[in-house]
CSV table of all heavy atoms in Angstrom, one decimal:
chain,number,residue,atom,x,y,z
A,108,TYR,N,15.5,6.9,-0.3
A,108,TYR,CA,15.5,5.5,-0.7
A,108,TYR,C,16.6,4.7,0.0
A,108,TYR,O,17.7,4.8,-0.4
A,108,TYR,CB,15.6,5.3,-2.2
A,108,TYR,CG,14.5,5.9,-3.0
A,108,TYR,CD1,14.7,7.1,-3.7
A,108,TYR,CD2,13.3,5.3,-3.1
A,108,TYR,CE1,13.7,7.7,-4.4
A,108,TYR,CE2,12.2,5.9,-3.8
A,108,TYR,CZ,12.5,7.1,-4.5
A,108,TYR,OH,11.5,7.7,-5.2
A,109,THR,N,16.2,4.0,1.1
A,109,THR,CA,17.3,3.4,1.9
A,109,THR,C,17.1,1.8,1.9
A,109,THR,O,18.0,1.1,2.2
A,109,THR,CB,17.3,3.8,3.4
A,109,THR,OG1,16.0,3.7,3.9
A,109,THR,CG2,17.7,5.3,3.4
A,110,VAL,N,15.9,1.4,1.6
A,110,VAL,CA,15.6,-0.1,1.6
A,110,VAL,C,16.0,-0.7,0.3
A,110,VAL,O,15.7,-0.2,-0.8
A,110,VAL,CB,14.1,-0.3,1.9
A,110,VAL,CG1,13.8,-1.8,1.8
A,110,VAL,CG2,13.7,0.3,3.2
A,111,PRO,N,16.8,-1.7,0.3
A,111,PRO,CA,17.2,-2.4,-1.0
A,111,PRO,C,16.0,-2.8,-1.8
A,111,PRO,O,15.0,-3.4,-1.3
A,111,PRO,CB,18.0,-3.6,-0.6
A,111,PRO,CG,18.5,-3.2,0.8
A,111,PRO,CD,17.4,-2.4,1.4
A,112,THR,N,16.0,-2.5,-3.1
A,112,THR,CA,14.8,-2.8,-3.9
A,112,THR,C,15.4,-3.4,-5.2
A,112,THR,O,16.5,-3.3,-5.6
A,112,THR,CB,14.0,-1.6,-4.3
A,112,THR,OG1,14.7,-0.8,-5.2
A,112,THR,CG2,13.6,-0.8,-3.1
A,113,ALA,N,14.5,-4.0,-6.0
A,113,ALA,CA,14.9,-4.5,-7.3
A,113,ALA,C,15.3,-3.4,-8.2
A,113,ALA,O,16.1,-3.6,-9.1
A,113,ALA,CB,13.7,-5.3,-7.9
A,114,ALA,N,14.7,-2.2,-8.0
A,114,ALA,CA,15.1,-1.1,-8.8
A,114,ALA,C,16.4,-0.5,-8.4
A,114,ALA,O,17.0,0.2,-9.2
A,114,ALA,CB,14.0,0.0,-8.7
A,115,GLY,N,16.8,-0.7,-7.2
A,115,GLY,CA,18.0,-0.1,-6.7
A,115,GLY,C,17.9,1.2,-5.9
A,115,GLY,O,18.7,1.6,-5.2
A,116,GLY,N,16.7,1.8,-6.1
A,116,GLY,CA,16.5,3.1,-5.3
A,116,GLY,C,16.1,4.2,-6.2
A,116,GLY,O,16.9,4.9,-6.8
A,117,GLY,N,14.8,4.4,-6.4
A,117,GLY,CA,14.3,5.6,-7.1
A,117,GLY,C,13.8,5.4,-8.5
A,117,GLY,O,12.8,5.9,-8.8
A,118,GLU,N,14.5,4.6,-9.2
A,118,GLU,CA,14.1,4.4,-10.6
A,118,GLU,C,13.0,3.3,-10.7
A,118,GLU,O,12.6,2.7,-9.7
A,118,GLU,CB,15.2,4.0,-11.5
A,118,GLU,CG,15.8,2.6,-11.2
A,118,GLU,CD,16.9,2.6,-10.2
A,118,GLU,OE1,16.9,3.6,-9.4
A,118,GLU,OE2,17.7,1.7,-10.1
A,119,SER,N,12.4,3.1,-11.9
A,119,SER,CA,11.4,2.1,-12.0
A,119,SER,C,11.9,0.7,-11.9
A,119,SER,O,13.2,0.5,-11.9
A,119,SER,CB,10.7,2.3,-13.3
A,119,SER,OG,9.5,1.5,-13.4
A,120,LEU,N,11.0,-0.3,-11.8
A,120,LEU,CA,11.4,-1.7,-11.7
A,120,LEU,C,11.7,-2.3,-13.0
A,120,LEU,O,11.0,-2.1,-14.0
A,120,LEU,CB,10.3,-2.5,-11.0
A,120,LEU,CG,10.1,-2.1,-9.5
A,120,LEU,CD1,8.7,-2.6,-9.1
A,120,LEU,CD2,11.2,-2.7,-8.7
A,121,PRO,N,12.8,-3.1,-13.1
A,121,PRO,CA,13.2,-3.8,-14.4
A,121,PRO,C,12.3,-5.0,-14.6
A,121,PRO,O,12.8,-6.1,-14.7
A,121,PRO,CB,14.6,-4.1,-14.1
A,121,PRO,CG,14.7,-4.4,-12.7
A,121,PRO,CD,13.7,-3.4,-12.0
A,122,GLU,N,11.0,-4.8,-14.7
A,122,GLU,CA,10.1,-6.0,-14.9
A,122,GLU,C,9.2,-5.7,-16.1
A,122,GLU,O,9.0,-4.6,-16.5
A,122,GLU,CB,9.2,-6.2,-13.6
A,122,GLU,CG,9.9,-6.6,-12.4
A,122,GLU,CD,8.9,-6.8,-11.2
A,122,GLU,OE1,7.7,-6.7,-11.5
A,122,GLU,OE2,9.4,-7.1,-10.2
A,123,GLU,N,8.6,-6.8,-16.6
A,123,GLU,CA,7.5,-6.6,-17.5
A,123,GLU,C,6.2,-6.6,-16.7
A,123,GLU,O,5.7,-7.6,-16.2
A,123,GLU,CB,7.5,-7.8,-18.5
A,123,GLU,CG,6.3,-7.9,-19.4
A,123,GLU,CD,6.1,-6.5,-20.2
A,123,GLU,OE1,7.0,-6.1,-20.9
A,123,GLU,OE2,5.0,-5.9,-19.9
A,124,TYR,N,5.6,-5.4,-16.6
A,124,TYR,CA,4.4,-5.3,-15.7
A,124,TYR,C,3.2,-5.9,-16.2
A,124,TYR,O,2.2,-6.1,-15.5
A,124,TYR,CB,4.2,-3.8,-15.5
A,124,TYR,CG,5.1,-3.2,-14.4
A,124,TYR,CD1,6.4,-2.7,-14.8
A,124,TYR,CD2,4.8,-3.2,-13.1
A,124,TYR,CE1,7.2,-2.2,-13.8
A,124,TYR,CE2,5.7,-2.7,-12.1
A,124,TYR,CZ,6.9,-2.2,-12.5
A,124,TYR,OH,7.7,-1.7,-11.6
A,125,HIS,N,3.1,-6.3,-17.5
A,125,HIS,CA,1.9,-7.0,-18.0
A,125,HIS,C,2.0,-8.5,-17.8
A,125,HIS,O,1.1,-9.2,-18.2
A,125,HIS,CB,1.7,-6.6,-19.4
A,125,HIS,CG,1.5,-5.1,-19.6
A,125,HIS,ND1,0.3,-4.5,-19.2
A,125,HIS,CD2,2.2,-4.2,-20.2
A,125,HIS,CE1,0.4,-3.2,-19.5
A,125,HIS,NE2,1.6,-3.0,-20.1
A,126,ASP,N,3.1,-8.9,-17.2
A,126,ASP,CA,3.3,-10.4,-16.9
A,126,ASP,C,2.8,-10.7,-15.5
A,126,ASP,O,3.5,-10.3,-14.5
A,126,ASP,CB,4.7,-10.7,-17.1
A,126,ASP,CG,5.0,-12.2,-17.0
A,126,ASP,OD1,4.3,-12.9,-16.2
A,126,ASP,OD2,5.9,-12.7,-17.7
A,127,LEU,N,1.7,-11.3,-15.3
A,127,LEU,CA,1.1,-11.6,-14.0
A,127,LEU,C,2.1,-12.3,-13.1
A,127,LEU,O,2.2,-11.9,-11.9
A,127,LEU,CB,-0.1,-12.5,-14.2
A,127,LEU,CG,-0.7,-13.1,-12.9
A,127,LEU,CD1,-1.2,-12.0,-12.0
A,127,LEU,CD2,-1.8,-14.1,-13.3
A,128,HIS,N,2.8,-13.3,-13.6
A,128,HIS,CA,3.7,-14.0,-12.8
A,128,HIS,C,4.9,-13.2,-12.3
A,128,HIS,O,5.5,-13.4,-11.2
A,128,HIS,CB,4.2,-15.3,-13.5
A,128,HIS,CG,3.0,-16.2,-13.8
A,128,HIS,ND1,2.4,-17.0,-12.8
A,128,HIS,CD2,2.4,-16.5,-14.9
A,128,HIS,CE1,1.4,-17.6,-13.3
A,128,HIS,NE2,1.4,-17.4,-14.6
A,129,MET,N,5.3,-12.2,-13.1
A,129,MET,CA,6.4,-11.3,-12.7
A,129,MET,C,6.0,-10.5,-11.6
A,129,MET,O,6.8,-10.3,-10.6
A,129,MET,CB,6.9,-10.5,-13.9
A,129,MET,CG,7.6,-11.3,-15.0
A,129,MET,SD,9.2,-11.8,-14.4
A,129,MET,CE,10.2,-10.3,-14.5
A,130,TYR,N,4.9,-9.8,-11.7
A,130,TYR,CA,4.6,-9.0,-10.5
A,130,TYR,C,4.0,-9.7,-9.3
A,130,TYR,O,4.0,-9.2,-8.2
A,130,TYR,CB,3.7,-7.7,-10.9
A,130,TYR,CG,2.4,-7.9,-11.6
A,130,TYR,CD1,1.3,-8.3,-10.9
A,130,TYR,CD2,2.2,-7.4,-12.9
A,130,TYR,CE1,0.1,-8.4,-11.5
A,130,TYR,CE2,1.0,-7.5,-13.5
A,130,TYR,CZ,-0.1,-8.0,-12.8
A,130,TYR,OH,-1.3,-8.0,-13.4
A,131,LEU,N,3.5,-10.9,-9.5
A,131,LEU,CA,3.2,-11.8,-8.4
A,131,LEU,C,4.5,-12.1,-7.6
A,131,LEU,O,4.6,-12.2,-6.4
A,131,LEU,CB,2.5,-13.0,-8.8
A,131,LEU,CG,1.0,-12.9,-8.8
A,131,LEU,CD1,0.4,-14.2,-9.3
A,131,LEU,CD2,0.4,-12.7,-7.4
A,132,ALA,N,5.6,-12.4,-8.4
A,132,ALA,CA,6.9,-12.7,-7.8
A,132,ALA,C,7.4,-11.5,-7.0
A,132,ALA,O,8.0,-11.6,-5.9
A,132,ALA,CB,7.9,-13.1,-8.9
A,133,ARG,N,7.1,-10.3,-7.5
A,133,ARG,CA,7.5,-9.1,-6.8
A,133,ARG,C,6.7,-9.0,-5.5
A,133,ARG,O,7.3,-8.7,-4.4
A,133,ARG,CB,7.2,-7.9,-7.7
A,133,ARG,CG,7.3,-6.5,-6.9
A,133,ARG,CD,7.5,-5.4,-7.9
A,133,ARG,NE,6.4,-5.1,-8.8
A,133,ARG,CZ,5.5,-4.2,-8.7
A,133,ARG,NH1,5.6,-3.4,-7.6
A,133,ARG,NH2,4.6,-4.0,-9.6
A,134,CYS,N,5.4,-9.3,-5.5
A,134,CYS,CA,4.6,-9.3,-4.3
A,134,CYS,C,5.1,-10.3,-3.3
A,134,CYS,O,5.2,-10.0,-2.1
A,134,CYS,CB,3.2,-9.4,-4.6
A,134,CYS,SG,2.4,-8.1,-5.5
A,135,HIS,N,5.4,-11.5,-3.7
A,135,HIS,CA,5.9,-12.5,-2.8
A,135,HIS,C,7.3,-12.1,-2.2
A,135,HIS,O,7.5,-12.3,-1.0
A,135,HIS,CB,6.1,-13.8,-3.6
A,135,HIS,CG,4.9,-14.6,-3.7
A,135,HIS,ND1,4.2,-15.2,-2.7
A,135,HIS,CD2,4.1,-14.9,-4.8
A,135,HIS,CE1,3.2,-15.9,-3.1
A,135,HIS,NE2,3.1,-15.7,-4.4
A,136,ARG,N,8.1,-11.4,-3.0
A,136,ARG,CA,9.4,-10.9,-2.5
A,136,ARG,C,9.1,-9.9,-1.4
A,136,ARG,O,9.8,-9.9,-0.3
A,136,ARG,CB,10.2,-10.3,-3.6
A,136,ARG,CG,11.6,-9.8,-3.2
A,136,ARG,CD,12.3,-9.3,-4.4
A,136,ARG,NE,11.8,-8.1,-5.0
A,136,ARG,CZ,11.3,-7.9,-6.2
A,136,ARG,NH1,11.2,-8.9,-7.0
A,136,ARG,NH2,10.9,-6.7,-6.6
A,137,ILE,N,8.2,-9.0,-1.6
A,137,ILE,CA,7.9,-7.9,-0.6
A,137,ILE,C,7.3,-8.5,0.7
A,137,ILE,O,7.7,-8.1,1.8
A,137,ILE,CB,6.9,-6.9,-1.2
A,137,ILE,CG1,7.7,-6.1,-2.3
A,137,ILE,CG2,6.5,-5.9,-0.1
A,137,ILE,CD1,6.7,-5.4,-3.2
A,138,VAL,N,6.4,-9.5,0.5
A,138,VAL,CA,5.8,-10.1,1.7
A,138,VAL,C,6.9,-10.8,2.5
A,138,VAL,O,6.9,-10.7,3.8
A,138,VAL,CB,4.7,-11.2,1.3
A,138,VAL,CG1,4.3,-12.0,2.5
A,138,VAL,CG2,3.5,-10.4,0.7
A,139,SER,N,7.8,-11.5,1.9
A,139,SER,CA,8.9,-12.2,2.6
A,139,SER,C,9.8,-11.2,3.3
A,139,SER,O,10.2,-11.4,4.4
A,139,SER,CB,9.7,-13.0,1.6
A,139,SER,OG,9.0,-14.1,1.0
A,140,TYR,N,10.1,-10.1,2.6
A,140,TYR,CA,10.9,-9.0,3.2
A,140,TYR,C,10.2,-8.5,4.5
A,140,TYR,O,10.8,-8.3,5.6
A,140,TYR,CB,11.1,-7.9,2.2
A,140,TYR,CG,11.5,-6.6,2.8
A,140,TYR,CD1,12.8,-6.4,3.4
A,140,TYR,CD2,10.6,-5.5,2.9
A,140,TYR,CE1,13.1,-5.2,4.0
A,140,TYR,CE2,11.0,-4.3,3.4
A,140,TYR,CZ,12.2,-4.1,4.0
A,140,TYR,OH,12.6,-3.0,4.6
A,141,LEU,N,8.9,-8.2,4.4
A,141,LEU,CA,8.2,-7.6,5.6
A,141,LEU,C,8.1,-8.7,6.7
A,141,LEU,O,8.3,-8.3,7.9
A,141,LEU,CB,6.8,-7.2,5.1
A,141,LEU,CG,6.7,-6.0,4.2
A,141,LEU,CD1,5.3,-5.8,3.7
A,141,LEU,CD2,7.2,-4.8,4.8
A,142,ARG,N,7.9,-9.9,6.4
A,142,ARG,CA,7.8,-10.9,7.5
A,142,ARG,C,9.2,-11.1,8.1
A,142,ARG,O,9.2,-11.4,9.4
A,142,ARG,CB,7.3,-12.2,6.9
A,142,ARG,CG,5.8,-12.1,6.5
A,142,ARG,CD,5.2,-13.5,6.1
A,142,ARG,NE,5.2,-14.4,7.2
A,142,ARG,CZ,4.8,-15.6,7.1
A,142,ARG,NH1,4.3,-16.1,6.0
A,142,ARG,NH2,4.9,-16.4,8.2
A,143,ARG,N,10.3,-11.0,7.4
A,143,ARG,CA,11.6,-11.1,8.0
A,143,ARG,C,11.8,-9.9,8.9
A,143,ARG,O,12.4,-10.0,10.0
A,143,ARG,CB,12.7,-11.2,7.0
A,143,ARG,CG,12.7,-12.6,6.2
A,143,ARG,CD,14.0,-12.7,5.5
A,143,ARG,NE,14.3,-11.6,4.6
A,143,ARG,CZ,13.8,-11.5,3.3
A,143,ARG,NH1,13.1,-12.5,2.8
A,143,ARG,NH2,14.1,-10.5,2.6
A,144,ARG,N,11.5,-8.8,8.4
A,144,ARG,CA,11.8,-7.5,9.2
A,144,ARG,C,10.9,-7.3,10.4
A,144,ARG,O,11.3,-6.8,11.4
A,144,ARG,CB,11.6,-6.3,8.2
A,144,ARG,CG,12.0,-5.0,8.8
A,144,ARG,CD,11.9,-3.9,7.8
A,144,ARG,NE,12.1,-2.6,8.5
A,144,ARG,CZ,11.9,-1.4,7.9
A,144,ARG,NH1,11.6,-1.4,6.6
A,144,ARG,NH2,12.0,-0.3,8.5
Side-chain angles (χ1 to χ4, degrees):
Y108 298 104
T109 55
V110 178
T112 72
E118 68 273 22
S119 190
L120 291 164
E122 293 183 2
E123 173 51 62
Y124 280 87
H125 298 291
D126 186 324
L127 168 65
H128 297 287
M129 288 292 285
Y130 58 72
L131 269 174
R133 171 159 62 103
C134 291
H135 279 291
R136 183 176 70 242
I137 295 165
V138 169
S139 295
Y140 160 71
L141 292 174
R142 290 188 63 181
R143 288 194 307 271
R144 184 177 171 188

